[in-house]
Amino acid sequence: MSSARNANFTTQYSDFLKESYEKESNQRLAWFAKRRNQAKTKPRQLEVFRKKITEGSQPSEALLSRLPEIDVEPRHHRRKADFNDPHVENLPEVDVQPWMRPASPETWKSLFEGFTKEETGRYQYLRRRNKIIPEEKFAYPILTSWDYGWRLGDSMTKENIKKPKYGRTHLVQDTFYTRNGIDM
């Protein structure tokens, strides 16, 4: 007997799919916003076909007369949208800012000094960036899994962390559970 549900489809997998769809959608919108004002070029396929036919073996005049003209519009009759028109609605505003904050000037300079094979250049740049905690590299958490530890230092200081007598800490209990008078 087969079940209708997929056993591997968990909320974590669902969130992963949602994030990847949103990321792809944001990338497409950013690509569109970047190229919005570039000139649109007409396809040259008919011109290439006509050139191949006329330069190759000479076809009959009847075949050449049946070929469409080069400046003929495409066969579909869709209304072409002018995305630069201020009256176009339903276009979301796209924030094309990078997710990661830029590196410091000295870290950025290390990117161009030497070779990765010699453990300089890109190798040193990535090592330096890896030592920086995510809260300092990113303005906000990119993934939902980052929410659990994001800005943990604001709620827990080193003074609050004491070495427990029997090797256990109350990190989760102190930061996650609410105080409602019920002892755990």
Side-chain angles (χ1 to χ4, degrees), residues 1-2 11 14 31-33 61 74 81 87 99 118 131 150 183:
M1 183 172 189
S2 67
T11 54
S14 173
W31 182 89
F32 173 76
E61 287 297 320
H87 301 292
W99 291 336
E118 299 169 352
K131 289 179 183 176
W150 197 259
D183 290 331

Side-chain angles (χ1 to χ4, degrees), residues 27 59 62 71 75 96 106 139 142 159:
Q27 287 296 324
D71 51 289
R75 293 184 192 161
V96 192
E106 55 196 38
I142 304 298
E159 293 82 33

